[in-house]
Amino acid sequence: MTEYLTVTTLTKYLAAKFSRDPYLERVYLTGEISNFRQRPNHQYFAIKDEGAVIQANMWAGQFRKLDFKLEDGMKVLVVGRVSLYAPSGSYSINIETMVPDGIGALAVKFEQLKKKLSAEGLFETRFKQALPQFSNCIAVVTSPSGAVIRDIITTIQRRFPMSEIVLYPTKVQGEGSAEEIASNIRRANERGDFDVMIIGRGGGSIEDLWGFNEEIVVRAIFESHIPIISSVGHETDVTLADFVADARAATPTAAAELATPNTKIDLLAWSNEQENRMLNRLKALIMFKREKLEKLTHSVVFRQPERLYDGHIQKVDLLTERLSVLTKQKVDQGQHRFELISGQLVPAYSRTVERRKFRLDRAYQNLLLLDISKIKARGFSIVSDKNGKIIKSVKDVNPGKAIEISLFDGQVSAEVK
C-alpha cells in the first residue's frame, strides 16, 4: 500500500536537505535588489535577474556593517546561506556579506556621500572663502616626504619668499588617514594666524585617495575658518575634498601659485602704486589745508578780533536782565504768599490761645474745689490719730484714745470719751 506524506513531513525533509547540502551552505550570488524598503532592524527584500527571483533576508547585525546605502535596482554581489522556511514552504537566502557589483563599492559610496553632502549645501559657492592677495603664513597638510611638499616649497619660495610655510606632517593614505587629515586641519585653525591652507597628495587609485572622500575630512574643510586649496591626485582625479574646498588645484605647483597670487614683481609694483597714491593724497591734503589757512588769515575775525566776543557780551547782558526780572518775580511771589499765610495764621493762633485759656481757667476752678483749706474754712475739720492716720468712722476709735483735730486756723488735741 502506498504511504502518503504529510505536507509538514515533506517540508521538513526538504529543509533538512537544504541545510545539509554543501552547495547551498555558502552561496555566491549576483543579482539586482528588488522590493527594498528599509526596516528598523532586520531587512527583507528580493534579489532578481532576467529569469528568476529569490527572497533575501539580512539580519540587523550584518546590515549595520554595510558602508553604502542599499537601493532598489542596485546590482550587488552577495554571500549567504540558502534555507527553507517550513510554515510557508518558501526558500530564501540569508545574506552574510554584500558589496555593489559593477562600478564598485567605493564608487557607490562616493556617489551616495556626494549626494548627501550636496543636499546639505556643503558644496555651494556661497560658502566659499576668497583667497588672500598676500599670504604671510601658509599651512600645508600633506605627507612630509615626496614630491608634493617639495613642489609647494619651491614654488612659494620662488614667487613669494616672504611667506612662512608650516608643514603639518600627515598620513594621506590607508587606515586612519582621514582622521589624521581632519585633525591637522583643525589644529591649523586653532593656531589662528594662517592666511591660507593647502591640503593634498600625489596621484593614485581611488583606494589611495579615499581618505579625502571621507565625511570627516569634508566636514573639517567646510568648518575651516582658513581658506583651503585642495590638490589631491592628478588633474583627472576628483575627490569630495575638491568639491568642498575654497579652491581646487590640479597640481601641487598650481596650489602654491594660487596661495601666492602675487609675485615679488607684483609686490614691488603694488608698493610703488601705494606710495604714489599716498604721496598724491598728502599733496592734496597740504593744498587743502593751505587754502583753508589763507581764507582764515583774511577773515574779518582776524582783522577785528573784538567782534569775536561782541555777541557773547550782548548775550550776557540779556541773561543778566532776564535773571533780575525772574528774581524780582520770585521775591514778589514769596511776599504775597507770606502775607496770605500770615492772614490765616494770626486768627487761627488767637482762637487756639482762647481755647487753651478757657481750659486752664476751668482746670483752676476744679483745683480750687479740691483745696482742703477752702473746705476747712466752711467749718469742716479732719480727725486723725497721733500717727497721722485719718479717722473716717467711729469704729476706728475707742474711749480714751488720743486724737488730733485739724481746723481752718490750727490744730487741737483731744481724747475720746
Side-chain angles (χ1 to χ4, degrees), residues 16 21 50 71 95 103 105 112 162 171 190 228 234 248 270 290 299-300 307 314 320 326 331 352 365 377 400 405:
D21 192 322
E50 297 80 359
E71 297 175 350
I95 297 175
I103 59 175
Q112 290 181 346
M162 291 78 78
K171 182 180 181 180
E190 289 171 0
I228 292 182
H234 298 302
R248 178 181 183 259
W270 177 83
R290 183 175 293 165
S299 173
V300 67
R307 295 181 62 177
Q314 185 179 4
T320 303
L326 290 174
V331 171
T352 302
Q365 294 299 326
I405 302 172

Side-chain angles (χ1 to χ4, degrees), residues 344-373:
Q344 296 172 0
L345 185 60
V346 171
Y349 179 73
S350 299
R351 289 193 297 269
T352 302
V353 170
E354 290 296 329
R355 286 196 300 268
R356 292 188 178 181
K357 184 178 179 182
F358 174 76
R359 290 172 59 188
L360 180 62
D361 290 341
R362 189 170 61 183
Y364 178 71
Q365 294 299 326
N366 291 334
L367 286 174
L368 288 177
L369 293 175
L370 299 174
D371 188 354
I372 296 175
S373 62

